Amino acid sequence: MTKNKFNPISWVPTLYFAMGLPFVVLNMVSVLMFKGLGNSDREIAFWTSLIMLPWTLKPLWSPFLELYKNKKFFVVLTQLMGGLIFGLVALSLYTNYYFAISIALMFLIAFSGATHDIAADGVYISSLDNEAQAKYIGWQGAFYNLAKVIATGGLVYFAGYLIEQIGAVNAWAVIISICSLLLAGLGFYHIKFLPGGEKSNETGSWQEAMQRLGDVLKSFFLKKHIWIYIAFIILYRFAEGYAIKIVPLFLKADVALGGLGLTEKEIGLYYGTFGAVAFLLGSVLGGYYISYRKGLSRALFTLCCAFNLPFIVYLLLAVYQPSSGFWVSAAIITEYFGYGFGFVGLMLFMMQQIAPGPHQMSHYAFATGIMNLGVMIPGMMSGYLSDWLGYQGFFIWVLVATIPAFLITYLVPFTYPDKIESK
């Protein structure tokens, strides 16, 4: 049963599609856009990593959203703001200083998107009872990932088509405008169809919000084994942090420069569609594997291997530079399947070993924020390394960067029992 008259099927899918769209466009699609507009790998990787900072810091201002209006207000406001600012990004592409202007605007979108995530999760939790939350969790994840498929698959593919017809600047302006219309349209839709997510009574003033934030932070850093847990969630994705920005740039780069010379249409198909489907399949099977192994502690090292070892496919692509779409897509599917299979282990570890306690939701948010920081920092350095080492040398470095993940995964302690007993 839901706590209000709004049918969850009318707003849960659209809410989480709106959550996924800005994150994917800023984190992945913008990389290909700037590459197609002639920017260097170094500046693309650094700045498109840095603008993701608000998603790391969002737990710091989450208590203050309780002080004004309700959660629906912030969801609708950030969707409309995000749509407006995406429109400004599209216009900025026609200026001489498009890179600096668009990066600044994208940082505002990131701040708006991170705030949206806090409020959207609040609406979901406060508007649905436990039974309904469990019932619609699948819709939540499916439509968040649908945003990824549409953005990195459909929109990137469409960009490739438009580039052939109207040129790169006009093509990308159209694509960003589509993102603007989608997000703004969802904002207007949710004015009518989104439940309120009533204002909490837990926080009544700025002083109380600051005190609550301090209590959450203090209790988080006093948890048993917390520092090794922090090292674990950073190092688990350390290699990915390097690879995530450079892989699309490598796929797009000319063969003469060590890349694969793929078009946006090919990247949209291989990277955004086949890869996204492989990720979903890997995620489902990863969950079943944990259940089969009777708990995360018995499965974690294998999950880490599945997550990190497939990065070798990009080294093979850099060495052999195949022209066959079959081999390129097979490599991307392999890496994305392993990514999905192994990623569930990290998420479950944060839920089961870091989050438990009196501030479970807040501590989980802090853990995910630290995790994102661990991806952002190597992402900022990745462009410098790829320029210095070349693509082959860079992907060798990515494999070296996986070693700390294997070591700490093997040694990490478990505070809470995690074994699944047979019935």
Side-chain angles (χ1 to χ4, degrees):
M1 295 291 293
T2 62
K3 296 179 180 178
N4 53 62
K5 64 181 181 180
F6 294 90
N7 186 348
I9 204 67
S10 70
W11 59 267
V12 171
T14 53
L15 180 65
Y16 281 88
F17 181 88
M19 179 186 288
L21 185 65
F23 184 87
V24 174
V25 172
L26 266 60
N27 195 38
M28 304 180 74
V29 177
S30 67
V31 172
L32 289 168
M33 180 183 76
F34 289 129
K35 183 69 171 179
L37 296 176
N39 296 94
S40 69
D41 289 7
R42 180 181 301 183
E43 61 184 352
I44 293 171
F46 180 86
W47 289 105
T48 60
S49 295
L50 185 60
I51 60 174
M52 308 308 290
L53 184 61
W55 274 285
T56 293
L57 301 181
K58 67 181 180 180
L60 298 180
W61 64 83
S62 59
F64 301 96
L65 298 187
E66 303 285 358
L67 301 178
Y68 182 70
K69 297 289 186 179
N70 59 17
K71 300 174 183 68
K72 176 179 178 176
F73 170 82
F74 288 105
V75 168
V76 172
L77 176 66
T78 52
Q79 287 174 1
L80 295 176
M81 285 182 56
L84 174 63
I85 302 171
F86 266 126
L88 296 176
V89 172
L91 292 175
S92 75
L93 300 182
Y94 294 99
T95 69
N96 292 331
Y97 302 100
Y98 74 89
F99 186 78
I101 296 171
S102 59
I103 286 293
L105 291 170
M106 286 179 181
F107 185 84
L108 296 179
I109 294 172
F111 180 81
S112 174
T115 305
H116 173 276
D117 291 3
I118 300 167
D121 286 335
V123 170
Y124 186 84
I125 292 168
S126 63
S127 300
L128 302 178
D129 58 27
N130 290 341
E131 180 183 352
Q133 288 175 25
K135 180 178 179 180
Y136 291 100
I137 191 70
W139 289 90
Q140 179 192 112
F143 276 80
Y144 185 93
N145 282 286
L146 179 63
K148 184 175 183 178
V149 173
I150 289 177
T152 62
L155 290 181
V156 171
Y157 184 92
F158 188 44
Y161 169 79
L162 291 175
I163 288 170
E164 298 171 354
Q165 308 299 318
I166 58 177
V169 174
N170 290 328
W172 283 112
V174 169
I175 296 303
I176 299 302
S177 296
I178 291 173
C179 296
S180 170
L181 293 173
L182 280 173
L183 202 54
L186 288 167
F188 286 113
Y189 174 84
H190 287 141
I191 290 175
K192 181 176 181 180
F193 291 101
L194 190 70
E198 288 72 13
K199 182 178 175 182
S200 170
N201 293 322
E202 293 181 7
T203 305
S205 69
W206 285 86
Q207 292 78 8
E208 290 172 354
M210 287 295 296
Q211 182 178 359
R212 183 167 177 263
L213 177 61
D215 291 342
V216 171
L217 280 169
K218 182 179 178 181
S219 60
F220 179 81
F221 287 105
L222 289 177
K223 283 177 174 283
K224 187 177 182 180
H225 303 309
I226 189 60
W227 293 107
I228 193 170
Y229 287 172
I230 289 173
F232 168 74
I233 60 178
I234 290 175
L235 294 177
Y236 195 93
R237 298 185 69 187
F238 192 61
E240 179 208 350
Y242 286 108
I244 192 171
K245 295 295 181 180
I246 300 303
V247 167
L249 300 175
F250 161 68
L251 298 177
K252 173 68 178 169
D254 291 339
V255 174
L257 298 177
L260 297 188
L262 300 183
T263 66
E264 282 82 0
K265 290 171 70 174
E266 291 172 319
I267 294 173
L269 182 62
Y270 303 154
Y271 191 54
T273 303
F274 294 163
V277 172
F279 172 82
L280 290 174
L281 180 60
S283 298
V284 172
L285 294 181
Y288 280 112
Y289 176 74
I290 294 170
S291 177
Y292 169 76
R293 292 287 292 166
K294 307 296 184 191
L296 183 60
S297 61
R298 298 179 179 181
L300 190 58
F301 187 78
T302 302
L303 294 168
C304 179
C305 291
F307 187 85
N308 285 283
L309 287 179
F311 288 124
I312 196 173
V313 300
Y314 295 119
L315 175 58
L316 295 174
L317 291 178
V319 170
Y320 294 104
Q321 294 182 279
S323 58
S324 168
F326 172 82
W327 291 112
V328 176
S329 59
I332 292 170
I333 288 170
T334 299
E335 191 271 317
Y336 259 55
F337 177 85
Y339 181 93
F341 192 90
F343 191 67
V344 295
L346 179 60
M347 301 304 289
L348 193 60
F349 183 89
M350 291 189 293
M351 291 178 186
Q352 293 184 346
Q353 302 299 319
I354 298 180
H359 303 290
Q360 184 170 356
M361 186 177 300
S362 296
H363 286 175
Y364 182 74
F366 276 113
T368 58
I370 292 170
M371 175 190 69
N372 289 331
L373 183 66
V375 175
M376 187 191 80
I377 292 174
M380 292 169 64
M381 298 186 292
S382 62
Y384 294 89
L385 285 171
S386 68
D387 284 354
W388 177 40
L389 299 172
Y391 289 122
Q392 288 188 29
F394 175 78
F395 288 121
I396 291 173
W397 168 253
V398 169
L399 294 178
V400 172
T402 66
I403 295 173
F406 296 129
L407 295 176
I408 198 164
T409 301
Y410 185 76
L411 298 172
V412 68
F414 278 68
T415 301
Y416 299 97
D418 75 301
K419 292 181 180 179
I420 303 171
E421 301 296 337
S422 299
K423 293 184 179 180

